[in-house]
Amino acid sequence: MNDLKQKYTVGVDLGGTNTVYALVDETGVIIDKASFPTDTPSADIWADKLASGISEMIARNKLEMQIAGIGIGAPSANPSSGCIEGATNLKWAPPVPLVAMMKQRLKLPVSINNDANAAALGERAYGVAKGLDNFIVITLGTGVGGGVVCNGHLLCGSRGFATELGHITFPFAKGRMCGCGREGCLETIASARGIVTTARRMLAESDTPSSLRQTDTRLLTAKMIAEAAEAGDAIAQAVFNFTGSCLGKAAAQFAAFSDPDAIILFGGVAKAGRLLTEPMAKAFEADVLHLYRGRVKILTSSLCDAEAALIGAASLPLLPSQPK
Amino acid sequence: MNDLKQKYTVGVDLGGTNTVYALVDETGVIIDKASFPTDTPSADIWADKLASGISEMIARNKLEMQIAGIGIGAPSANPSSGCIEGATNLKWAPPVPLVAMMKQRLKLPVSINNDANAAALGERAYGVAKGLDNFIVITLGTGVGGGVVCNGHLLCGSRGFATELGHITFPFAKGRMCGCGREGCLETIASARGIVTTARRMLAESDTPSSLRQTDTRLLTAKMIAEAAEAGDAIAQAVFNFTGSCLGKAAAQFAAFSDPDAIILFGGVAKAGRLLTEPMAKAFEADVLHLYRGRVKILTSSLCDAEAALIGAASLPLLPSQPK
């Protein structure tokens, strides 16, 4: 019987926009997946919704006896306390004791980690970071986060708040106010919202023809801008050139912190691929200290969008050496 | 006999100005110490000088049979290759295969690591970082370096070049050219030379009376400026306020990378103590992301000047888990 037991975990990716959860097998393959919008009136309603969704999913796959635990990737999660503390893209008042809330509802072991750390673990287990002991993942989505593996260890720090790369400030973001209350965070440039802001400004400041002008600028999305850039739109391409170049300058600083072999873009915005990585690699090489020049690969996640975050989160209950 | 054997190591602190070496016992106590100026015509002459000095020191203490190895703390040292690669404050053409050069001359095990990493290990073994698993050491001297311990591990990175904190660039250093060829590195502000540059500018740009005006500005040293600040000199105090404030802004960025419990100033310039840490702590709290506010101690090394680097270097041959 034992070989049938606890071979599966549930991964939860709590994003600023959507909450995705999935049943994942021991080889990292997603068996079943569902999602709902994160923006619920309270954390309790969110937890109820997630718990009933997970219970249903486990039941419909007849895996009640074979679940090792739930792993949650969430913004500003403290793996030690099991709480979300001070997330800037969620409306719930911190601290939110997610681990306790889910344990109470599901009677299963629950682990939590930063969504970006979960993404890094997912990339290492199944993605482009396979076999790498030194790499940086920059997650680009509603917010911007970082997950860093250095000498084989995930950097968690004293309270699990290491590598908040989205909240490192840069001169290229001068004048842009961040949800955290500070000015100039990388997130104000490289998040989906940051890209839209850049597009709005570029549209306002030039008369260059652009397909983006057909849309009310209040309705623009990063995805629309990426599609326009792919189609050859000059303004949209300039937006991604600027964003990629900023990411390259930021990455040059990050490299001096952890001496990585690769820097990997991850998340919805990273789907823009070469639109971001080409200007990024160029700016990185121009800016970086000679010690790192020509030695760091700039990559995008090879895993499909939310999947790495989910798989990384799902791997949390199985990792004895990571804080839970 | 065995308990008499290999209880001692030799620590070498290869600084931009002086090379200090010492016999250190297993409890981290320095038994004998000597030094010579680093600025020799070639790396070979330096290695000859060091090897004969170490041999003499071992002989005069009658410890020929009891030396476990030599640990060298050196700028831009690659612990994997045993070479100094691309150090910006040494005149020798990199790479300098120091480990091979010393092994050949001394027939003893030789390990090398970044001088700042050695400092961090020294602080953790015997200094203010005793018992801490998450801290950052910023070394302030001829250059500026960093040693970071995160979740109990020294961050080395892919090739031992992690945490080059002196070469992270900041807007407050705009216009200052660094030895590495880039503009705006922390080193251009917080090194001994950076402090002298700041003093020269402040003296040039104001008419405020200052005891520093009695000295030809070309002969000013960071130590003289620190002494003048201690004695109440307004310009000298403004120099340290500016330097400390810049260090605080830098530390606020570093905190977002490794979530430390303490940030420790180390090295010659750090002897200025409160002159640096007070403006530094103030700027840190004003700038840092809320997650870290009020939670990071700003400290200066409790070990005497070069001692922690020496003791840290001396501990390198004893650390099986660190790259050698």
Side-chain angles (χ1 to χ4, degrees):
Chain A
M1 275 303 284
N2 208 33
D3 61 335
L4 278 178
K5 277 190 182 170
Q6 303 188 339
K7 278 188 158 183
Y8 299 83
T9 58
V10 177
V12 181
D13 175 25
L14 168 50
T17 308
N18 286 307
T19 296
V20 192
Y21 56 102
L23 261 174
V24 177
D25 78 6
E26 62 189 336
T27 66
V29 170
I30 291 177
I31 303 296
D32 198 350
K33 192 166 99 169
S35 69
F36 61 92
T38 299
D39 189 15
T40 48
S42 75
D44 272 307
I45 294 175
W46 178 88
D48 288 341
K49 215 162 176 170
L50 179 62
S52 67
I54 289 175
S55 295
E56 250 170 61
M57 186 178 275
I58 293 172
R60 106 176 138 244
N61 288 278
K62 302 191 171 48
L63 290 173
E64 287 87 346
M65 302 302 292
Q66 299 176 53
I67 305 296
I70 318 281
I72 306 174
S76 299
N78 180 341
S80 313
S81 71
C83 292
I84 295 188
E85 299 180 10
T88 54
N89 289 311
L90 293 177
K91 286 176 190 162
W92 315 327
V96 186
L98 272 199
V99 166
M101 288 165 76
M102 293 309 296
K103 268 187 186 165
Q104 195 195 357
R105 284 166 173 82
L106 285 168
K107 318 287 180 209
L108 276 168
V110 181
S111 321
I112 198 168
N113 211 320
N114 193 296
D115 49 348
N117 286 345
L121 295 176
E123 283 299 334
R124 195 183 190 203
Y126 308 103
V128 288
K130 203 179 261 184
L132 291 186
D133 277 341
N134 292 282
F135 65 95
I136 295 174
V137 168
I138 307 177
T139 63
L140 308 174
T142 309
V144 171
V148 176
V149 171
C150 188
N151 299 114
H153 299 278
L154 184 67
L155 300 196
C156 289
S158 174
R159 291 159 298 121
F161 292 156
T163 65
E164 280 283 357
L165 304 185
H167 296 287
I168 291 184
T169 59
F170 291 93
F172 57 66
K174 198 167 152 54
R176 294 221 190 174
M177 293 309 300
C178 184
C180 74
R182 293 150 71 242
E183 184 190 336
C185 291
L186 178 60
E187 179 164 304
T188 66
I189 294 287
S191 65
R193 204 178 309 168
I195 287 172
V196 170
T197 302
T198 302
R200 284 180 187 163
R201 288 193 185 181
M202 287 191 175
L203 288 166
E205 287 166 9
S206 91
D207 293 320
T208 309
S210 169
S211 61
L212 300 176
R213 298 195 192 277
Q214 292 158 15
T215 309
D216 180 338
T217 57
R218 288 169 299 181
L219 302 177
L220 277 178
T221 64
K223 199 178 164 205
M224 289 164 58
I225 302 163
E227 284 165 359
E230 282 290 1
D233 186 89
I235 293 264
Q237 286 180 342
V239 170
F240 276 93
N241 270 333
F242 172 76
T243 310
S245 159
C246 291
L247 278 165
K249 288 174 187 174
Q253 305 269 52
F254 303 160
F257 212 97
S258 74
D259 186 17
D261 290 316
I263 298 181
I264 301 159
L265 298 184
F266 176 92
V269 171
K271 283 199 238 176
R274 285 181 311 106
L275 285 175
L276 282 174
T277 53
E278 282 181 5
M280 181 176 170
K282 204 172 154 192
F284 176 86
E285 293 298 333
D287 255 43
V288 82
L289 183 64
H290 55 85
L291 289 174
Y292 314 106
R293 205 170 285 149
R295 290 178 149 175
V296 182
K297 287 183 195 128
I298 307 290
L299 305 169
T300 46
S301 170
S302 61
L303 299 174
C304 107
D305 193 13
E307 209 155 89
L310 270 176
I311 296 173
S315 73
L316 292 174
L318 306 172
L319 281 173
S321 66
Q322 302 297 340
K324 286 186 183 182
Chain B
M1 274 303 284
N2 209 32
D3 60 335
L4 277 177
K5 277 188 181 173
Q6 304 188 338
K7 279 189 159 181
Y8 299 84
T9 59
V10 176
V12 180
D13 175 25
L14 169 51
T17 309
N18 286 307
T19 296
V20 192
Y21 56 102
L23 261 174
V24 176
D25 78 7
E26 61 189 334
T27 67
V29 170
I30 291 178
I31 304 295
D32 199 348
K33 193 166 100 168
S35 70
F36 61 91
T38 299
D39 189 17
T40 49
S42 76
D44 272 307
I45 295 174
W46 177 88
D48 288 342
K49 215 163 177 172
L50 179 62
S52 67
I54 289 175
S55 295
E56 250 170 60
M57 186 179 274
I58 293 172
R60 107 176 138 243
N61 287 279
K62 304 191 170 48
L63 290 173
E64 287 87 346
M65 302 303 290
Q66 298 175 54
I67 304 295
I70 318 283
I72 306 174
S76 298
N78 180 341
S80 313
S81 70
C83 292
I84 294 187
E85 298 180 8
T88 54
N89 289 309
L90 294 175
K91 286 176 191 162
W92 314 328
V96 187
L98 272 198
V99 165
M101 289 164 76
M102 294 308 296
K103 268 187 185 164
Q104 194 195 358
R105 285 166 172 83
L106 285 168
K107 319 288 178 209
L108 277 168
V110 181
S111 322
I112 198 168
N113 211 321
N114 192 294
D115 48 348
N117 287 345
L121 295 175
E123 284 300 332
R124 195 182 190 206
Y126 308 104
V128 289
K130 202 179 261 183
L132 291 186
D133 276 343
N134 292 281
F135 65 95
I136 295 174
V137 168
I138 307 176
T139 63
L140 308 174
T142 309
V144 170
V148 176
V149 171
C150 188
N151 299 115
H153 299 278
L154 185 67
L155 299 195
C156 289
S158 175
R159 290 159 300 121
F161 293 154
T163 66
E164 280 283 358
L165 304 186
H167 296 287
I168 291 184
T169 58
F170 291 94
F172 56 67
K174 197 168 150 59
R176 294 220 190 176
M177 293 309 298
C178 183
C180 74
R182 292 150 73 242
E183 184 191 337
C185 291
L186 178 60
E187 179 163 306
T188 66
I189 294 286
S191 65
R193 203 178 309 167
I195 288 172
V196 170
T197 301
T198 302
R200 285 181 187 162
R201 288 192 186 182
M202 287 192 176
L203 288 166
E205 287 166 8
S206 90
D207 293 321
T208 309
S210 168
S211 62
L212 300 175
R213 297 195 192 277
Q214 292 158 15
T215 308
D216 181 335
T217 57
R218 287 169 301 181
L219 302 177
L220 275 179
T221 65
K223 199 178 166 206
M224 288 164 59
I225 301 162
E227 284 165 358
E230 283 290 1
D233 186 89
I235 293 266
Q237 286 179 343
V239 170
F240 276 92
N241 270 332
F242 172 76
T243 310
S245 161
C246 292
L247 278 165
K249 287 173 188 175
Q253 305 269 51
F254 303 161
F257 212 95
S258 74
D259 186 17
D261 290 315
I263 298 180
I264 301 159
L265 298 183
F266 176 93
V269 171
K271 283 199 235 176
R274 285 181 309 107
L275 286 174
L276 283 174
T277 52
E278 283 180 5
M280 181 175 170
K282 204 172 152 191
F284 177 85
E285 293 298 334
D287 255 42
V288 82
L289 183 65
H290 55 87
L291 289 174
Y292 315 105
R293 205 170 286 148
R295 290 177 147 173
V296 183
K297 288 186 195 126
I298 307 289
L299 305 169
T300 47
S301 169
S302 60
L303 300 173
C304 109
D305 193 16
E307 208 155 271
L310 270 175
I311 295 172
S315 73
L316 293 174
L318 306 172
L319 281 174
S321 65
Q322 302 298 339
K324 284 186 181 180

